[in-house]
Amino acid sequence: MAATSAATFSIGAAISFGPKASQLPQSKPSAMRFSSQNSLTSFSGLKASTFVNCESESSFLGKESAIALRGSFTSKAQKSSHRSQYHLNLQASYKVAILGAAGGIGVNVVVIPAGVPRKPGMTRDDLFNINANIVKTLVEAVADNCPDAFIHIISNPVNSTVPIAAEVLKQKGVYNPKKLFGVSTLDVVRANTFVAQKKNLKLIDVDVPVVGGHAGITILPLLSKTKPSVSFSDEEVQELTAKIQNAGTEVVEAKAGAGSATLSMAYAAARFVESSLRALDGDADVYECSYVQSDLTELPFFASRVKLGRNGVEAIISSDLQGLTGYEQKALEALKPELKASIDKGIAFAQKQPVAA
């Protein structure tokens, strides 16, 4: 069984480093980000942010590195006290739990990456047979312990595990469709990266909405909706679409059994968590693509751009499905039967194994 780890995230209020900063206790190191009134900024998804800080009871840094980092900022604060202030946020506002194969904590955001990664030759049905019950068990724990939390499902096959989670929450009487998310951010990250490389653009400027699902042909990058606006030949559209859809399989085969797209998925998950925390904190301009309960199509679940707010999904952006190219419209219709089959499979699994009240 994998262990459960929890980290706390905070946004906002700060304590100043001044001339007395050297008097701060040299306790155990913390993983943290610094913000100042100068130009220390970070990028949250597609938006620059200056006040998002992350803390943990255990450090991402070694003890010596943390002490050196603290000393560096203390020195800078002392030298620059007459010009500016450096701020270190020490107050936790939200709790995030990343769940392995067991455990449940009361928190604001739950992230579920538990399960086995895909290996060469392994189909998504193979993944389903192993991961479905893991997701079911964990979501039961979430329903019992923190039913009001945002739930981020990463465990594959997401097209089926999100419907499983929804059914479990329904059986527990706590289902809120606005707070259940399939994390399809990796598809967006890949689409943005490949387009930026193809068109010699800065990655931070590129935004490609990706709709449908989170596997194979159900992944549909809407290249015609790319921002900034760029033109693609028919050959480029087919090449990029296939590359985005098959990127996961390429990584699995390249790793030859050693795992799947671990680091890029971790980055994508972190981006989605950070966006969720910004939304919880009241940021009114948070948009991400996610696989959620949706009425954009006749399917009960569908990935698209959504606006996030304190209560979860505030709006599903329907405009992305308007004015599609002929190629995109055909691909959209082609993905629906496969996505429907995956959804039905997840629902049937959950309904055959009712949860304890």
Side-chain angles (χ1 to χ4, degrees):
M1 290 294 187
T4 299
S5 59
T8 59
F9 291 74
S10 59
I11 304 178
I15 294 174
S16 297
F17 270 128
K20 295 183 180 180
S22 59
Q23 297 176 15
L24 288 175
Q26 303 294 306
S27 57
K28 69 177 182 179
S30 298
M32 57 189 70
R33 285 229 310 268
F34 294 87
S35 63
S36 79
Q37 294 177 350
N38 295 332
S39 59
L40 291 175
T41 60
S42 64
F43 286 96
S44 308
L46 297 172
K47 180 178 178 181
S49 172
T50 56
F51 286 99
V52 181
N53 299 278
C54 170
E55 300 171 336
S56 171
E57 292 184 1
S58 61
S59 176
F60 290 111
L61 303 174
K63 182 176 180 181
E64 295 79 5
S65 298
I67 292 174
L69 183 61
R70 184 187 297 111
S72 172
F73 273 86
T74 299
S75 175
K76 290 180 180 179
Q78 289 172 333
K79 293 179 181 179
S80 306
S81 60
H82 66 287
R83 292 175 297 177
S84 62
Q85 289 182 318
Y86 287 80
H87 300 284
L88 169 62
N89 193 314
L90 298 176
Q91 180 180 350
S93 300
Y94 303 105
K95 291 184 178 180
V96 178
I98 302 174
L99 303 185
I105 300 176
V107 293
N108 302 97
V109 177
V110 175
V111 185
I112 302 181
V116 298
R118 194 153 56 107
K119 296 182 179 180
M122 182 180 284
T123 67
R124 287 184 170 83
D125 282 342
D126 296 329
L127 281 179
F128 180 92
N129 294 333
I130 300 171
N131 292 348
N133 199 57
I134 294 174
V135 171
K136 174 179 175 290
T137 302
L138 288 174
V139 175
E140 287 177 9
V142 173
D144 291 337
N145 292 280
C146 49
D148 200 42
F150 284 19
I151 304 172
H152 295 178
I153 304 292
I154 296 174
S155 306
N156 277 317
V158 167
N159 290 353
S160 296
T161 53
V162 170
I164 289 173
E167 290 301 308
V168 170
L169 294 167
K170 288 177 185 177
Q171 292 174 30
K172 288 281 190 176
V174 294
Y175 179 48
N176 183 345
K178 294 182 178 181
K179 294 188 175 183
L180 177 62
F181 305 91
V183 180
S184 59
T185 318
L186 181 55
D187 300 325
V188 177
V189 170
R190 286 170 171 160
N192 292 349
T193 301
F194 297 155
V195 168
Q197 291 173 343
K198 189 76 173 178
K199 296 299 180 179
N200 295 315
L201 299 171
K202 291 183 179 179
L203 179 58
I204 193 62
D205 295 331
V206 179
D207 180 20
V208 182
V210 182
V211 303
H214 186 54
I217 68 165
T218 69
I219 301 169
L220 177 57
L222 300 180
L223 297 172
S224 68
K225 306 287 185 176
T226 298
K227 295 180 181 178
S229 180
V230 289
S231 61
F232 299 94
S233 67
D234 292 344
E235 292 74 17
E236 285 177 324
V237 169
Q238 294 177 25
E239 175 194 345
L240 285 170
T241 299
K243 188 173 182 179
I244 294 162
Q245 291 174 337
N246 298 324
T249 299
E250 288 186 22
V251 172
V252 168
E253 292 174 350
K255 285 192 171 183
S260 56
T262 311
L263 292 179
S264 56
M265 185 64 242
Y267 166 77
R271 165 174 158 168
F272 195 80
V273 169
E274 187 173 3
S275 292
S276 295
L277 294 176
R278 286 169 47 211
L280 282 168
D281 199 55
D283 190 331
D285 191 30
V286 183
Y287 295 83
E288 289 284 0
C289 287
S290 183
Y291 181 64
V292 297
Q293 180 174 311
S294 173
D295 59 3
L296 283 186
T297 69
E298 64 273 22
L299 301 172
F301 295 91
F302 193 79
S304 67
R305 277 200 309 147
V306 299
K307 181 179 182 180
L308 301 177
R310 282 181 168 147
N311 295 316
V313 176
E314 283 193 352
I316 294 176
I317 310 304
S318 60
S319 59
D320 285 337
L321 290 187
Q322 298 171 4
L324 299 181
T325 66
Y327 177 88
E328 290 167 344
Q329 189 63 52
K330 184 177 179 180
L332 175 61
E333 295 306 315
L335 71 82
K336 288 180 180 178
E338 182 165 330
L339 184 54
K340 183 179 184 301
S342 296
I343 293 169
D344 291 344
K345 186 172 184 176
I347 293 173
F349 171 85
Q351 291 179 344
K352 288 178 182 177
Q353 302 188 42
V355 302

